[in-house]
Amino acid sequence: MAPTPSGYLHLGNAVNFVLTWLLVRRAGGTLHLRIDDLDRTRLRPAYLANIFQTLEWLGLDYDTGPRNPADFEQHYSQLHYLADYQQILKKLRQQPGLLYACTCSRTDILAVAPDGRYPGTCRHRHIPLDTPGAAWRIRLPDDLVVTFTDGWQGTMVINLGRDMGDFVVRKKDGYPAYQIGSVADDLRLGTTLIVRGADLLPSTAAQLWLAQQLPETAGFTAARIQFLHHPLLPGPDGQKLSKSQQQPLERGVQAQAQGPQVVFRAVALLLGLPTEASLSLEQLRQGCVESHW
Ligand SMILES: [Zn+2]
């Protein structure tokens, strides 16, 4: 389970936790809690605390990882691993022409690309990488297609240039970007199963491709790691809820839902299991055992 303490956890996060818990427990695996806190500007103590509160509220146990916010800051924060991430950035930088500096603001990007996908504005501007306040982007080959087998979605063929564009590997503040931290952490922890929402398919494709650029990270492959991208929850109007659409739950699912049954029912719906109102985690686990899950 790999939440980010940049907001209160919403229904989609809780569903992801329960699904991950069910699949790992069913496989007899080791469940790790990892909190991605490289985005320090958006971290708030209340968001960090909310992760532990939500897990307790759902009744989910885990085997390794932080037990509370203090334990997290002291022993598990990604700040303790900055040297590892910087080493990866250093190696990427040594690959000729792979990285380039970008000084575009978010407003600059949205002005030319309303979908927020980076259009490659700084690709040929030759801005020095050490320019203060510049982000580092990775130059994707033209028409790059990443193919991998997903345990839920089947064979995925993702056009990374179209779906994501040259992505950031080092942020303007000098911190490594999410993709670097995520790949490095999964390798260090020996992660063998990653459960994510289908909205993160391009992100997974980006990580798989990024990892193959260096021998140090080449072990991050879909052959060594089983990926499961679950469908997003249907909203009240039947449309899929995107991550941003789920954000308006201001105090998070734990504060706003009547009880965790809301989450269990959503999981049952995704798994095609019966969704009675009083569904418990144990019933959900039994349902998984009895069905093909
Ligand atoms: Zn730029």
Side-chain angles (χ1 to χ4, degrees):
M1 300 182 287
T4 303
S6 58
Y8 293 107
L9 296 179
H10 52 65
L11 180 61
N13 298 121
V15 163
N16 177 269
F17 284 178
V18 172
L19 266 176
T20 308
W21 184 90
L22 285 169
L23 294 166
V24 173
R25 289 289 172 253
R26 183 172 164 78
T30 301
L31 182 57
H32 183 78
L33 172 65
R34 187 183 96 203
I35 299 174
D36 291 352
D37 67 329
L38 279 177
D39 193 353
R40 298 298 290 190
T41 54
R42 291 173 67 200
L43 186 150
R44 276 168 43 184
Y47 298 155
L48 185 59
N50 180 248
I51 292 172
F52 297 96
Q53 288 156 2
T54 304
L55 285 168
E56 199 184 331
W57 176 70
L58 292 166
L60 301 180
D61 61 350
Y62 51 97
D63 306 303
T64 53
R67 295 289 139 189
N68 53 57
D71 187 29
F72 169 71
E73 294 285 8
Q74 213 177 342
H75 302 290
Y76 294 92
S77 166
Q78 287 183 307
L79 297 183
H80 298 306
Y81 299 99
L82 280 180
D84 294 1
Y85 311 142
Q86 296 294 1
Q87 183 64 16
I88 293 175
L89 286 172
K90 188 178 154 195
K91 296 276 170 127
L92 288 173
R93 184 181 182 160
Q94 287 166 358
Q95 307 266 330
L98 187 61
L99 303 185
Y100 64 91
C102 166
T103 52
C104 298
S105 68
R106 189 160 168 75
T107 318
D108 294 338
I109 296 169
L110 287 174
V112 283
D115 60 357
R117 193 194 65 96
Y118 186 66
T121 317
C122 294
R123 261 190 169 207
H124 307 291
R125 290 172 69 193
H126 305 291
I127 302 164
L129 284 169
D130 292 319
T131 305
W136 292 1
R137 290 185 182 272
I138 200 154
R139 189 188 310 270
L140 298 179
D142 291 336
D143 302 319
L144 172 65
V145 169
V146 176
T147 305
F148 66 98
T149 303
D150 183 76
W152 198 310
Q153 309 284 338
T155 303
M156 299 311 304
V157 180
I158 295 178
N159 183 322
L160 211 49
R162 190 193 61 204
D163 291 351
M164 182 167 264
D166 294 344
F167 57 90
V168 172
V169 291
R170 201 191 77 160
K171 298 183 291 177
K172 286 174 186 239
D173 59 10
Y175 275 84
Y178 163 77
Q179 309 293 11
I180 298 284
S182 189
V183 167
D185 289 358
D186 278 327
L187 285 167
R188 189 185 66 250
L189 293 165
T191 305
T192 52
L193 171 69
I194 296 178
V195 184
R196 292 174 172 162
D199 54 336
L200 288 176
L201 277 164
S203 184
T204 296
Q207 293 181 5
L208 286 168
W209 183 79
L210 170 68
Q212 297 318 303
Q213 305 313 304
L214 296 177
E216 290 85 349
T217 51
F220 188 93
T221 65
R224 303 253 305 256
I225 302 169
Q226 165 83 72
F227 289 95
L228 277 175
H229 289 80
H230 55 84
L232 299 182
L233 303 171
D237 55 357
Q239 300 292 313
K240 301 262 161 99
L241 288 179
S242 73
K243 210 171 180 182
S244 57
Q245 283 174 312
Q246 290 178 53
Q247 293 295 2
L249 289 169
E250 286 210 337
R251 289 172 303 132
V253 63
Q254 184 233 338
Q256 298 203 333
Q258 297 283 331
Q261 284 72 28
V262 174
V263 181
F264 302 152
R265 277 202 301 276
V267 172
L269 205 64
L270 283 181
L271 294 174
L273 299 173
T275 57
E276 62 251 56
S278 61
L279 193 64
S280 69
L281 187 62
E282 188 49 38
Q283 284 170 306
L284 204 51
R285 199 221 288 246
Q286 280 302 322
C288 278
V289 171
E290 285 158 20
S291 73
H292 68 287
W293 293 100

